[in-house]
Amino acid sequence: MAKWVYSFGDGKAEGASAMKELLGGKGANLAEMANLGLPVPPGFTISTEVCTYYYANGQSYPPELKDQVDAALNHVGALAGHVFADPENPLLVSVRSGARASMPGMMDTVLNLGLNDVTVEAIARSSGDERFAWDSYRRFIQMYSNVVLGVEHHNFEEILEVHKDQKGYFQDTDLTAFDWRKVVASYKEAVERETKKPFPQDPREQLWGAISAVFSSWMNQRAITYRRLHDIPQSWGTAVNVQAMVFGNMGETSATGVAFTRNPSTGENALYGEFLVNAQGEDVVAGIRTPQNITEIARIAAKSDKPSMETVMPEVFNEFVRATQLLERHYRDMQDMEFTVERGKFWMLQTRNGKRTGRAALRVAVEMATSGLITREEAISRIEPGSLDQLLHPTLDPNAEKIIIATGLPASPGAACGEIVFSSDDAETLKAAGHKVILVRVETSPEDISGMHAAEGILTTRGGMTSHAAVVARGMGKPCVSGAGAVRVDYAAQTLTAQGRTFSKGDVITVDGTAGQVMEGAVPMLQPEVSGEFAELMGWADEVRRLKVRANADTPADARIARQFGAEGIGLCRTEHMFFDNERIVAVREMILAENEEGRRAALAKILPMQRSDFASLFEIMHGLPVTIRLLDPPLHEFLPHTSEEIAEVATAVGSTPEKLKRRADELHEFNPMLGFRGVRLAIAFPEIAEMQARAIFEGAVEAQAKTGRPVIAEIMAPLVFSKRELDLVKARIDAMAEAVASETGVAIPYHVGTMIELPRAALRAGEIAETAEFFSFGTNDLTQTTLGISRDDAGSFLGAYVQKGILPQDPFISIDVDGVGELVALAAERGRKTRDGIKLGICGEHGGDPASIAFCEKTGLDYVSCSPYRVPIARLAAAQAALGHAARSTA
Ligand code: PEP
Ligand code: MG
């Protein structure tokens, strides 16, 4: 008979942590903790296969399931000493979802299930605490009605507020057993009013309602969005965990808390967490009461006047510390745990590998490898390359003047500035329009995931370090300040008020998630650097990777950053980017608009010295590392003057009339500039442009070589080539210029001539092209554009639908389309190598910084990837992981 249900408790379990696919992360780890002998309340897991069955069979259950659940319930009851649905000695349970990966978008938890008008009296008798029983019952009604029956929280909150007002109470703790009875009666009326049915009294009906709610939540919109953002397949399904209740709210010797074995923000090796005396789990996460520190050291550091768990319940604390150490050693990773203390008895409720910031991930991995708990290869494989992004972004300049408007908790490190928005929808809309935004909410919920994704940073006025905003922001690597209690948010007016000042939607603020501060305006930031554990791990990665990593750098500033981040050369210098400078653009326009060669040569003579010094400084900064310079590749429209002032400016410079120039500009207008007069076509039609650039390169190289004493390695390439003949023509000019400069200066610069492969025809003719080309650099931006026939500048409006409908696995401009574009790359590499053994192969499209694309480059045997300077460390790590055969995730 098929097995759908797996029990655990009393030091043993039918499952284990290796069974995550079947039991989900939570269920597998509960089983594992039971097997390790840790105190886990008994329970059982309904497997993910039931979820699969449920959706494959019109949302129904396998026929054997009911009996298996009943048997498991009896077993749990026997271990806990209670009986489910028994009016005298009832077993109460929690019901939680548990997918393989934790998924905030889903139904999370129902506690105290099994309570009804009869069992609540039994609990009152057995606990000797009537108030506790009725408080538990009202919590259950509220939670169950919300997550299972869809009754909104405010229905209950209003009832409670009215009751407190009538009685003159301020806090929930002021309510007596009698008060809670009244509240329960009103809650039940509210449920009946909202759902047109009385609140279910039958514990079995309650249980199956909760189980179905978990399985249904697998397909709710939030869960679907979360899966899309995190590449989680729909086919995985979720499990359901049913577990005997233990109570953290049975008085002063009871407590509940969450903790990490190390600090999830910094990675420091110190137990880190929060707890609340006399509370249930949701109280910690909801941020209603301010939690207390677990350790004394943390309490002192936080300057908290509330006693730590270490002082309040020292014995339980010691037991907990032992459990945390055992778990970290066992799982060989930082653990994120939940626990409850019921009248002095300690229980573990959950453990899982903890989410952490990029910085913490680095520190934890490096320290664990250094202490021998994991290997260096494991340390390398554990860091999501994309997570380094947050370390590669600016932090606040400590010397900058800043006007602090509010302080809160340093929930997720890093700094960001942007325009204030108060809703996730606005965050997404403005982000799509190119704005940078800070999402400001009272507290975030799973509905805000896409808005948080769109925002540069997050500010909340409620919630602690383990609130939704804090946990999710850390996972995303976004700066977050949470619980800035003095800030008032008015959603209706779209304003926030802090220190008596009001800021509106669209006003710019800066949040510093490292310090927990909010500042007015955009505060100046400092550039990041690779040091400490970051540098250490990068060193380990460099030892194992085969692929070289270069940078796409067009300016000396880019080149310097690239070197700082460990680039091993420049893989692409887009020379046209050097031309947008105010001083230069006029001469460039002059060149483009010239009527004849003479006019062009006059303009080129003005540009030459500027280009020479550009190249000289690039060579100098790269200090003997290879520098690949691409000949001019201007989609002409980017350079043409548009306004009448711009036209007049060029007319004055060349001694022409604005009318004449306007006519020339109109002549040059193209319907499809991306497929127009650009790339090598320019050097074919106007070879003097390529000649000027070649001269600037060789003269710049001579200059740099003299200055640094290091030999320059110059690589010159032509863009948008599709035939050998094009390259032959250009190469002849370059060779001639090399000779000319050598004889003029007496210095012969070694150089290589190669080509971009960025058109399908170039890939197909690669064998022939390699007769001339000494290297290939795959321009996968254009190659994607031309292979898919999708304009790289116009894809935004429909690509989303293509990804959503599964036509493309992800945005092919971010992560390489392995099946199509990838096949062309592989084919060109093979044909190129056949002609020219050992031909150097690199990639310089945006894909060069995308981990999944880098894995493809490793597989295809390319020599290097080239990416934007800020992505160089990400590429170094991704290349190491690719060499280790670690599956990469795209950053798309
Ligand atoms: C490319 O097409 O991939 C490339 C690197 O060139 P550009 O983006 O400048 O067209
Ligand atoms: Mg290109």
Side-chain angles (χ1 to χ4, degrees), residues 616-617 620 623 701-710:
S617 25
E620 219 181 294
H623 221 76
V702 172
E703 218 176 284
Q705 220 165 254
K707 229 180 189 165
T708 60
R710 308 275 300 214

Side-chain angles (χ1 to χ4, degrees), residues 516-679:
Q517 293 174 337
V518 187
M519 275 85 34
E520 177 183 348
V523 178
M525 312 231 178
L526 281 190
Q527 294 312 316
E529 58 177 359
V530 179
S531 57
E533 290 94 16
F534 194 174
E536 178 112 35
L537 189 97
M538 282 292 123
W540 298 348
D542 291 345
E543 278 169 30
V544 302
R545 75 185 153 92
R546 183 195 61 81
L547 277 167
K548 295 262 181 206
V549 177
R550 299 196 194 180
N552 294 354
D554 312 322
T555 62
D558 284 351
R560 272 188 211 103
I561 295 171
R563 282 291 289 133
Q564 227 171 297
F565 287 160
E568 297 161 297
I570 292 178
L572 172 63
C573 168
R574 293 173 162 107
T575 50
E576 57 277 9
H577 288 180
M578 300 169 148
F579 289 172
F580 283 108
D581 208 87
N582 270 345
E583 291 169 29
R584 302 177 177 199
I585 188 81
V586 178
V588 174
R589 285 181 175 147
E590 200 182 317
M591 169 186 86
I592 286 171
L593 295 171
E595 303 264 359
N596 51 35
E597 187 179 331
E598 193 193 340
R600 255 187 315 277
R601 285 201 184 272
L604 286 168
K606 295 184 197 168
I607 301 171
L608 173 68
M610 308 184 213
Q611 281 266 271
R612 186 194 303 129
S613 79
D614 289 337
F615 296 142
S617 25
L618 289 186
F619 290 134
E620 219 181 294
I621 294 164
M622 296 318 286
H623 221 76
L625 294 171
V627 176
T628 310
I629 294 168
R630 180 174 77 184
L631 298 178
L632 199 57
D633 176 18
L636 278 186
H637 64 295
E638 288 181 15
F639 288 101
L640 292 179
H642 298 292
T643 64
S644 41
E645 290 93 69
E646 284 172 357
I647 292 175
E649 205 178 359
V650 183
T652 317
V654 294
S656 176
T657 64
E659 293 71 33
K660 255 180 148 171
L661 272 173
K662 170 94 175 50
R663 209 173 328 116
R664 179 84 182 118
D666 288 345
E667 275 166 30
L668 288 174
H669 170 81
E670 292 179 314
F671 287 103
N672 203 342
M674 269 299 192
L675 298 177
F677 192 16
R678 61 173 285 222

Side-chain angles (χ1 to χ4, degrees), residues 142-422:
Q142 178 163 356
M143 233 179 196
Y144 188 91
S145 303
N146 181 255
V147 301
V148 180
L149 307 175
V151 182
E152 288 182 28
H153 274 301
H154 71 86
N155 289 292
F156 304 107
E157 278 155 13
E158 279 155 21
I159 290 169
L160 187 53
E161 286 312 309
V162 167
H163 189 89
K164 274 161 55 177
D165 278 356
Q166 281 172 355
K167 294 292 199 103
Y169 294 155
F170 291 103
Q171 290 183 333
D172 291 5
T173 43
D174 296 337
L175 276 82
T176 62
F178 182 75
D179 292 314
W180 286 127
R181 272 180 194 268
K182 285 251 185 235
V183 169
V184 162
S186 307
Y187 275 13
K188 287 197 308 189
E189 279 165 26
V191 173
E192 187 151 2
R193 186 184 69 230
E194 292 297 310
T195 65
K196 312 280 179 281
K197 271 191 229 151
F199 184 80
Q201 289 290 311
D202 175 4
R204 279 179 212 282
E205 184 188 340
Q206 295 170 356
L207 179 64
W208 285 100
I211 292 170
S212 296
V214 172
F215 287 133
S216 304
S217 70
W218 178 250
M219 292 301 273
N220 73 26
Q221 199 49 50
R222 292 195 310 261
I224 291 170
T225 304
Y226 188 88
R227 283 200 290 274
R228 182 165 51 76
L229 289 175
H230 292 82
D231 275 356
I232 297 174
Q234 199 149 296
S235 59
W236 280 7
T238 183
V240 181
N241 298 293
V242 178
Q243 206 175 4
M245 280 300 301
V246 289
F247 294 95
N249 56 339
M250 279 193 152
E252 295 304 305
T253 54
S254 300
T256 188
V258 294
F260 292 82
T261 52
R262 301 182 187 220
N263 184 316
S265 272
T266 64
E268 187 194 355
N269 188 3
L271 186 60
Y272 175 92
E274 296 170 332
F275 86 115
L276 279 172
V277 172
N278 196 10
Q280 266 195 336
E282 84 262 21
D283 300 336
V284 181
V285 188
I288 296 164
R289 278 163 60 192
T290 306
Q292 296 157 245
N293 295 101
I294 303 239
T295 64
E296 211 26 39
I297 291 178
R299 183 195 68 76
I300 294 163
K303 300 195 182 77
S304 167
D305 55 7
K306 296 195 166 139
S308 66
M309 180 175 168
E310 193 172 353
T311 41
V312 179
M313 27 185 88
E315 272 156 41
V316 173
F317 171 79
N318 286 336
E319 193 178 349
F320 178 51
V321 169
R322 274 196 303 278
T324 66
Q325 289 165 349
L326 171 69
L327 286 169
E328 187 175 283
R329 271 201 312 276
H330 181 73
Y331 284 101
R332 303 166 71 242
D333 201 354
M334 173 182 116
Q335 295 299 295
D336 164 1
M337 303 150 298
E338 287 178 23
F339 63 90
T340 281
V341 183
E342 181 183 298
R343 291 187 166 158
K345 164 92 180 95
F346 168 72
W347 295 97
M348 285 298 299
L349 298 188
Q350 171 164 324
T351 193
R352 58 182 167 189
N353 293 342
K355 287 208 186 332
R356 59 204 86 175
T357 63
R359 185 173 301 285
L362 273 173
R363 178 161 177 186
V364 168
V366 169
E367 289 185 355
M368 283 186 173
T370 307
S371 74
L373 186 60
I374 60 174
T375 65
R376 283 185 179 185
E377 283 74 18
E378 281 175 301
I380 290 169
S381 300
R382 280 199 186 171
I383 312 288
E384 183 76 55
S387 75
L388 299 179
D389 201 35
Q390 45 187 294
L391 304 182
L392 297 169
H393 282 298
T395 47
L396 286 193
D397 179 349
N399 299 319
E401 214 171 286
K402 46 184 192 185
I403 301 168
I404 297 171
I405 55 171
T407 55
L409 296 169
S412 179
C417 64
E419 297 170 31
I420 298 171
V421 291
F422 295 99

